[in-house]
């Protein structure tokens, strides 16, 4: 039986392993950390549970399709709760916009803020829905080998949307700044600002407003646990605390990988680790890309995160709350155009214990705070403490309550942690930005051009950043590897 080695037990690596094992291959995953899940790990302390990375469960159909590929359903592994509102955007004290679960109510919210905008929203989401259908059925499952993958009637009709931006599409139709920001925020999950994102990606707005925002009971890590259970039932072996230190090749093939100083024979390898880091495990002449290539890439943001335990339930916040009470454009400039620590940062807050009592002790609140940042910034304990104080002060003002003295503890996580835990290039949190020239076939290739049996998966290759796309990426990589092997298991 052919031995396939997978580097990294993040969502893309786990996904790839499931598809390979279900086709009869001998699959082993090597994970450098003690806990699997990659950026979707969890952190527990004093009865509190925090998702360390992703907190939004969007595009539920992708997860249903994944489990269905193995004759399973999501309900075999976890329970979903639809959030209502899906999220709330705070623009100032008593200035909030909530996005209800019922789209008809969302239309009413828009009309109330900008008369006549509800009709335009319905048209916008109708177009976004068509794009979503095309994306899911025709685009995101492609391996990104050639521009010819986009040559099909459904895509040809939307082709101009790859050369105009989502930001311009939104701003032509909506005048109110708050509504514009509400429509532009979802693509931040794809790693770029709306004015640099192809308009085709408005399908994220359909995922948001029509397919809804969901919560997994027990937290996002239950998705990881579910895929792990599936993988092991298929025969996948997972070895944690097992960093891969070298990829050994010969005659343009991977022959072995070195794990904790020991050589492991491999008939093929899929790496779900950071693409740039994986290349460093090879000799220079075996890498797909030179360092100069990576230096020119537009990276998705990094982040400063706080995991906070409060000794009381908080008021005037939703499960997902975005604090956009400062200059949106000024913060974006500091992320993309003039990298630096923002003077007055926007931030996102998740209070999952508002929905799920299992995530905090009775009468207490778990909070996850995220500040988007440029990649490559130096972060220190003092900087993190300063931002924590500022964020808590603003939350008090915006929500009209005292909370500073109710902080039981907090832990921080930022760029240097992304590097040490994930080998993340420049400390990125989301991978490679989905800009016009980094979309589809213009992304780093999923197969090594010089080593025939080495493939890559994850957020630095197709389809791009995000939890659903990570799972799709694993499927693409597995299919490409099996095509190379001729689907021979022995």
């Amino acid at each position: 039986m052919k031995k396939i080695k997978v580097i990294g037990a993040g969502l893309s690596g786990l996904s790839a392993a499931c598809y390979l094992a279900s086709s009869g291959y001998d699959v082993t995953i090597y994970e450098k950390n003690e806990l699997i899940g990659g950026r979707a790990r969890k952190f527990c302390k004093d009865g509190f549970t925090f998702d360390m990375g992703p907190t939004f469960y969007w595009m539920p159909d992708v997860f249903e399709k994944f489990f269905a590929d193995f004759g399973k359903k999501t309900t075999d592994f976890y329970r979903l709760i639809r959030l209502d509102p899906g999220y709330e955007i705070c623009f100032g004290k008593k200035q909030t916009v909530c996005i209800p679960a019922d789209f008809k109510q969302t239309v009413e919210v828009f009309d109330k803020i900008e008369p006549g905008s509800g009709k335009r929203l319905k048209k916008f989401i109708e177009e976004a829905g068509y794009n979503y259908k095309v994306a899911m059925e025709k685009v995101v499952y492609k391996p990104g080998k050639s521009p010819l993958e986009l040559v099909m009637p459904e895509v040809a009709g939307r082709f101009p949307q790859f050369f105009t931006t989502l930001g311009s599409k939104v701003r032509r139709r909506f005048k109110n700044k708050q509504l514009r920001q509400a429509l532009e925020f979802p693509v931040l999950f794809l790693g770029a600002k709306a004015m640099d994102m192809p308009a085709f990606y408005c399908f994220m707005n359909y995922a948001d407003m029509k397919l809804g925002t969901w919560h997994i009971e027990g937290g996002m890590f239950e998705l990881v646990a579910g895929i792990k259970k599936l993988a092991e039932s298929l025969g996948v072996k997972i070895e944690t605390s097992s960093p891969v230190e070298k990829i050994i090749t010969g005659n343009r093939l991977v022959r072995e990988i070195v794990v904790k100083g020991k050589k492991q024979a491999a008939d093929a390898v899929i790496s779900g680790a950071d693409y740039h880091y994986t290349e460093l495990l090879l000799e220079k002449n075996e890498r797909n890309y030179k360092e100069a290539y990576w230096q020119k890439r537009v990276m998705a943001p990094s982040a400063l995160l706080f995991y906070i335990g409060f000794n009381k339930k908080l008021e005037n916040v939703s499960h997902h709350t975005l604090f956009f009470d400062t200059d949106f454009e000024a913060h974006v400039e500091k992320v993309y155009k003039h990298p630096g620590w923002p003077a007055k940062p926007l931030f996102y807050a998740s209070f999952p214990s508002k929905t799920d009592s299992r995530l905090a002790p009775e009468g207490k609140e778990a909070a996850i705070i995220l500040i988007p940042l440029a990649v490559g910034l130096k972060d220190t304990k003092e900087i993190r403490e300063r931002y924590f104080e500022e964020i808590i002060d603003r939350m008090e003002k915006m929500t009209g309550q005292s909370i500073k003295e109710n902080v039981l503890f907090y832990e921080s996580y930022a760029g240097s942690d992304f590097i040490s835990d994930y080998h993340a290039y420049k400390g990125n949190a989301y991978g490679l930005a989905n800009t016009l020239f980094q979309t589809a076939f213009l992304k780093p290739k999923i197969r090594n051009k010089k080593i025939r049996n080495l493939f890559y998966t994850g957020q630095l290759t197709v389809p791009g950043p995000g939890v659903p796309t990570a799972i799709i990426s694993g499927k693409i990589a597995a299919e490409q590897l099996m095509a190379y092997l001729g689907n021979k298991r022995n």
Side-chain angles (χ1 to χ4, degrees), residues 161-189:
Q161 294 189 44
F162 285 96
F163 298 96
T164 57
T165 70
L166 175 64
S168 62
K169 182 182 178 76
V170 168
R171 295 176 192 199
R172 282 196 306 269
R173 302 189 183 198
F174 303 93
K175 303 302 180 185
N176 182 272
K177 184 184 292 187
Q178 294 180 358
L179 298 185
R180 287 177 173 179
Q181 291 179 7
L183 290 168
E184 291 179 359
F185 122 79
V187 297
L188 294 177
F189 290 103

Side-chain angles (χ1 to χ4, degrees), residues 3 16 56 71 73 97 116 132 190 192 208 237 293 298 314 321 343 399 408 425 454 460:
K3 295 181 178 180
F56 271 77
K73 297 179 289 186
V97 174
Y132 188 86
L190 299 180
D208 163 14
K237 297 175 285 294
Y293 169 87
V298 179
L314 302 190
T321 305
T399 63
L408 292 171
Y425 183 62
L454 174 59
L460 285 172

Side-chain angles (χ1 to χ4, degrees), residues 22-315:
S22 70
S23 294
Y25 294 98
D26 182 342
V27 183
T28 303
I29 305 177
Y30 296 99
E31 167 57 48
K32 73 178 287 289
N33 295 310
E34 292 181 14
L35 191 65
I36 68 167
R39 287 164 170 78
R41 293 183 300 160
K42 66 178 178 179
F43 165 62
C44 300
K45 183 174 180 176
D46 299 342
F48 292 84
T49 300
F50 306 90
D51 287 316
M52 292 187 68
T55 54
F56 271 77
Y57 188 101
W58 275 354
M59 302 166 66
D61 53 313
V62 172
F63 304 100
E64 291 164 5
K65 184 174 181 179
F66 168 76
F67 285 109
D69 283 345
F70 306 96
K72 303 291 184 179
K73 297 179 289 186
T74 57
T75 51
D76 293 328
F77 301 97
Y78 52 82
R79 177 175 175 265
L80 286 172
I81 302 168
R82 184 161 186 174
L83 301 181
D84 191 10
Y87 55 90
E88 175 181 357
I89 306 176
C90 178
F91 294 99
K93 191 172 184 179
K94 296 183 179 180
Q95 296 180 48
T96 62
V97 174
C98 289
I99 304 300
D102 185 339
F103 180 66
K104 291 181 181 179
Q105 293 179 21
T106 304
V107 170
E108 294 171 3
V109 168
F110 270 60
D111 266 331
K112 186 175 181 180
I113 295 172
E114 182 182 313
S117 65
K119 183 177 180 180
R120 295 193 295 275
L121 176 65
K122 286 193 282 189
K123 179 66 175 176
F124 180 86
I125 295 299
E126 181 182 320
E127 294 172 2
Y130 184 85
N131 282 11
Y132 188 86
K133 178 179 172 63
V134 171
M136 293 301 108
E137 295 180 2
K138 305 293 182 180
V139 178
V140 299
Y141 286 89
K142 299 290 185 181
K145 291 182 177 180
S146 162
L148 295 177
E149 292 174 0
L150 299 179
V151 180
M152 58 187 79
E154 297 88 347
V155 175
R158 323 306 276 179
F159 212 68
Q161 294 189 44
F162 285 96
F163 298 96
T164 57
T165 70
L166 175 64
S168 62
K169 182 182 178 76
V170 168
R171 295 176 192 199
R172 282 196 306 269
R173 302 189 183 198
F174 303 93
K175 303 302 180 185
N176 182 272
K177 184 184 292 187
Q178 294 180 358
L179 298 185
R180 287 177 173 179
Q181 291 179 7
L183 290 168
E184 291 179 359
F185 122 79
V187 297
L188 294 177
F189 290 103
L190 299 180
K193 62 178 182 176
M195 291 306 291
D196 289 333
M197 184 77 67
F200 181 77
Y201 286 103
C202 69
F203 66 72
M204 288 297 292
N205 297 107
Y206 176 83
D208 163 14
M209 293 184 173
K210 275 300 188 80
L211 300 183
T213 302
W214 301 76
H215 169 75
I216 301 178
E217 196 171 73
M220 187 68 81
F221 188 77
E222 292 302 308
L223 169 64
V224 176
I227 299 178
K228 176 179 183 285
K229 183 178 179 180
L230 171 65
E232 291 180 334
S233 74
L234 295 168
V236 175
K237 297 175 285 294
I238 302 174
E239 297 190 14
T240 56
S241 301
S242 299
V244 175
E245 298 155 349
K246 182 73 176 173
I247 298 174
I248 298 173
T249 64
N251 194 28
R252 297 189 63 200
L253 292 170
V254 173
R255 300 297 184 179
E256 298 169 315
I257 61 173
V258 179
V259 184
K260 292 195 294 186
K262 294 183 179 181
K263 293 180 180 179
Q264 304 287 343
D267 292 301
V269 169
I270 288 182
S271 179
D274 180 270
Y275 198 127
H276 175 267
Y277 175 75
T278 302
E279 298 259 78
L280 298 180
L281 302 178
L282 297 163
E283 299 297 329
K284 281 189 177 181
N285 64 345
E286 297 172 331
R287 299 170 188 171
N288 263 357
Y289 304 100
K290 296 179 179 179
E291 186 64 28
Y293 169 87
W294 291 106
Q295 290 290 337
K296 293 177 183 177
R297 296 308 92 192
V298 179
M299 302 306 298
S302 184
L304 170 57
L305 293 117
F306 297 108
Y307 311 108
I308 313 167
F310 290 99
N311 67 3
K312 71 172 186 178
K313 303 299 289 185
L314 302 190
E315 300 174 351

Side-chain angles (χ1 to χ4, degrees), residues 379-395:
D379 70 276
T380 65
K381 180 181 178 181
E382 291 73 24
I383 291 174
R384 297 185 187 195
E385 288 176 349
R386 176 166 60 84
Y387 275 86
F388 179 76
E389 291 295 325
E390 178 180 342
I391 293 307
I392 292 297
D393 286 343
R394 281 171 52 196
M395 282 178 58

